[in-house]
Amino acid sequence: MLSFSLRVLVCRLSWMKMCDDRAPAVGCQPPDLSLIERFVDQMVNIAAHHSMDGWLINIENEIQYDQIDNLVIFVRLLTEKMHRMIPGSQVIWYDSVTVNGDLTWQNELNDLNSIFFDECDAIFLNYTWTNEKLVNSAINSGTRLHDVFVGIDVFGRGMIGGGGYNTKEALALARKAQLSIALFAPGWVYEVNGSREFDANEESVFRFWYYLRPYLPMHVSCSLPLSSTFCQGWGKRTYMHGQAVSNDPWSNLSMQQPQPTLTHSEMGYNPHQQYKWLHLEDGFLGGGSMRFVGRLPNSGSPLTYR
């Protein structure tokens, strides 16, 4: 699953505004290629400046039919120029506007949205899909099976399985169809259980991700050396070289460091056991540290964290 730093909304009014700025006296005409290129260049510059992974194009309004060709050109140029400027970047189309300009979510890859899929790296399907639509998407993707991201809303709005701790049902179907996954709102655990004591939700977070483990392969570091103070990008105070230098609470996700993922079967989720990994009362750098609580196996076999 990819994480994108920013989304862009391209709508009919945007095209009209650019057209009006260019030739207000003659009325609105379709923008020429140079105008689209200028817009794309600025988007690429923004992505490069902020070290973004790419763009998710989500258009939540209707588009005039005579502007669809311009929209296709925009998606194609953005994808091409992003690849040249930022190797490995991706442009993903969200399943919303169709080739006819209608705002009609398809919940599958089909003839109404494939024209955009063909011009970029992937498509992010809307959330109210069915198993039949997943099968259709897999067939219609041809050789690009993994470029179809199945949208899964953890809040469960219109979702198979109802979301929450049962999100695993939707993931299982997506994986059965051999499609990729776009997991929306995994912060559900914190939002539902409350944020007054943020670290008190840790057991719930562990439970949520533990259920999804069979469907989400881990991405591990492939190079050494690797170091981490296990800071999660927030804390009740700030630590520097093992000393508290500020007692004020803070949040800065750019300070987040690699976190462990429990992989040993003997330490799997147990609803009767308390899990407490994050330790905010002490730390070396950032907002806290990691504390191990639990019973180690007596077999002498190694305990592995990744």
Side-chain angles (χ1 to χ4, degrees), residues 19-168:
C19 182
D20 291 343
D21 290 344
R22 182 167 57 91
V26 298
C28 185
Q29 301 295 328
D32 57 28
L33 182 59
S34 64
L35 194 59
I36 298 177
E37 286 184 327
R38 285 164 50 197
F39 184 52
V40 166
D41 287 342
Q42 291 304 313
M43 292 181 63
V44 173
N45 290 336
I46 290 172
H49 178 77
H50 293 285
S51 300
M52 291 166 53
D53 296 317
W55 290 93
L56 172 62
I57 309 299
N58 181 16
I59 301 179
E60 298 282 351
N61 52 260
E62 295 182 350
I63 300 292
Q64 283 185 337
Y65 182 74
D66 60 3
Q67 297 293 337
I68 292 297
D69 287 344
N70 290 320
L71 183 56
V72 173
I73 292 172
F74 161 73
V75 174
R76 180 190 308 139
L77 286 178
L78 179 62
T79 304
E80 292 174 352
K81 293 196 174 191
M82 283 291 294
H83 289 175
R84 286 200 296 267
M85 176 68 76
I86 310 174
S89 62
Q90 293 203 34
V91 175
I92 296 181
W93 176 264
Y94 187 81
D95 163 34
S96 53
V97 171
T98 69
V99 67
N100 298 320
D102 300 323
L103 180 59
T104 309
W105 297 270
Q106 299 300 298
N107 302 292
E108 67 176 344
L109 175 62
N110 58 28
D111 291 341
L112 293 177
N113 54 28
S114 61
I115 188 173
F116 304 109
F117 174 70
D118 293 340
E119 299 295 345
C120 64
D121 296 297
I123 187 171
F124 184 143
L125 299 184
N126 192 52
Y127 308 105
T128 54
W129 43 265
T130 63
N131 191 48
E132 181 181 1
K133 287 182 178 291
L134 293 186
V135 173
N136 293 339
S137 298
I139 294 173
N140 294 333
S141 67
T143 60
R144 299 179 59 192
L145 193 66
H146 300 311
D147 293 338
V148 178
F149 285 79
V150 179
I152 296 178
D153 183 0
V154 180
F155 278 88
R157 291 162 288 200
M159 285 292 311
I160 289 177
Y165 294 119
N166 212 32
T167 299
K168 60 182 183 295

Side-chain angles (χ1 to χ4, degrees), residues 1 22 30 63 72 81 103 138 144 148 151 164-166 187 201 204 214 240 247 254 260 262 266 277 295 306:
M1 181 181 66
R22 182 167 57 91
I63 300 292
V72 173
K81 293 196 174 191
L103 180 59
R144 299 179 59 192
V148 178
Y165 294 119
N166 212 32
N201 288 312
S204 299
M240 185 71 68
N247 291 320
S254 67
L262 188 61
E266 294 185 48
W277 303 100
R295 178 175 297 177
R306 295 182 180 176

Side-chain angles (χ1 to χ4, degrees), residues 218-228 258-259 261 305-306:
M218 290 180 294
H219 298 269
V220 300
S221 176
C222 297
S223 61
L224 295 175
L226 173 67
S227 65
S228 176
Q259 301 294 310
T261 299
Y305 292 84
R306 295 182 180 176

